[in-house]
Amino acid sequence: MNRKQLYWAKDYTYEARQKKIGWLNEIIESLHEQPELGKYEDDEDSEELFTQETITVAQRLMKLVIQEEPNKQDIRELYILLKIYKHIRNSAWDDICKYVENLHWVVNIWETFQNVIELDIWHGCEYQRYSIKEPLITEGKFIRGSSSIDHHGHIVFKLEQNLEDNQIKIIWQIPNETVIPDEYIPESIEGIIDGLLKYSHLEKKAFSSLKITVFNGSYHEYHSRESDYRLAACIAWRNALENAEFIPL
C-alpha cells in the first residue's frame, strides 16, 4: 500500500539521530546526579525509584541511534519495554518512549504497513490475562475550542475477542483520508495502546486476545492535530470500560 512518507521521518535519519546523543547523555547524567528523578516529581505516594532502569533504556537507545542501520528487532523490543511502563515510572522514561515510538514507526512499520498491527506486549507479565466478553463499539472525542488553539480528534473503534492467539490485533479500517488522514494513523494507534496499557495497570489485568478495529471518526482541516487523536483514543477506552465486561483467559 503506497502512502506518503511521514513528514517527521526526516528527524529519524542517521544524521538526525546523531543530534540526539547529547540529549541522551544529559538524561543519563541528570539521573546519576539526581537519583530522585527516577520517579515523577509530584508522585508523593510512591517511594520506588526507577533511576537505573531509565539509565539502562537510555543507554540501549544510545547504542541504536549511533548505528547507521539499527537492528529492527532491537528497536521493537525496546519499544515494548518502554511502552509497558509509560506513565508509571518517570518523565525521562516517557520522553525516551515517545522518541522510540516514532523511531519504531519509521524503521519497522510505515513502509510496509498493511493496516494491521499485532502486539504481544504482556510476555513475562504477572497480570492475569483478560479478554472482552462481548463485542463493543466505543467512541472518543477530543474537541476543544479556545481563543488561541482549537483541537479536533475523533475516533471510533470496535473491541472484540481474538482468541486465536494471545496477541492484540489493531486493524485500521478507515475507508479513506476524508475520514481520518493517514498522517494521524501512528498517533491514533499509539493512543489505543496507551489506553489499553493505562487501564490494564489500573485494573491489574492484562487486556489481551483482543481485536480492535478502527472504522470511523472525523477530522477538521484546520483544527486537527496528531496529539488530538492520541487523546481521543484514550477517551474511547475510558468510555469502553464503563460498559465492557472482561473475562479471564
Side-chain angles (χ1 to χ4, degrees), residues 138-145 149-157 172 174 179-181 184-185 187-188 191 214 216-239:
T138 185
E139 180 177 25
K141 291 182 179 180
F142 181 71
I143 299 174
R144 302 285 189 275
I149 299 176
D150 293 324
H151 299 273
H152 184 109
H154 175 211
I155 193 167
V156 184
F157 54 84
W172 188 262
I174 296 297
V179 181
I180 300 177
Y184 301 134
I185 291 175
E187 286 289 299
S188 298
V214 182
N216 205 354
S218 66
Y219 89 106
H220 190 285
E221 183 178 2
Y222 302 110
H223 299 159
S224 289
R225 292 166 177 77
E226 292 166 305
S227 58
D228 297 343
Y229 287 87
R230 187 184 288 253
L231 290 167
C234 289
I235 292 168
W237 264 108
R238 185 182 66 198
N239 294 337

Side-chain angles (χ1 to χ4, degrees), residues 20-29 58 61-62 65 96:
K20 290 297 179 180
I21 294 173
W23 166 63
L24 289 168
N25 277 325
E26 287 177 7
I27 289 176
I28 293 168
E29 289 173 8
L61 178 56
M62 180 88 75
V65 299
I96 296 169

Side-chain angles (χ1 to χ4, degrees), residues 17 56-83 96-97 99-101 103-105 107-108:
R17 293 199 307 270
T56 298
V57 295
Q59 291 170 335
R60 286 178 62 177
L61 178 56
M62 180 88 75
K63 291 179 181 178
L64 291 171
V65 299
I66 63 175
Q67 297 174 31
E68 189 164 355
E69 294 186 10
N71 183 276
K72 293 184 176 184
Q73 183 61 27
D74 289 344
I75 294 172
R76 184 176 292 107
E77 290 175 359
L78 183 57
Y79 164 83
I80 290 173
L81 172 62
L82 287 160
K83 198 73 173 174
I96 296 169
C97 183
Y99 183 86
V100 173
E101 283 176 1
L103 180 63
H104 181 51
W105 274 91
V107 174
N108 287 330

Side-chain angles (χ1 to χ4, degrees), residues 10-24:
K10 64 183 185 302
D11 298 326
Y12 295 85
T13 63
Y14 173 68
E15 291 75 15
R17 293 199 307 270
Q18 304 316 294
K19 299 176 183 178
K20 290 297 179 180
I21 294 173
W23 166 63
L24 289 168

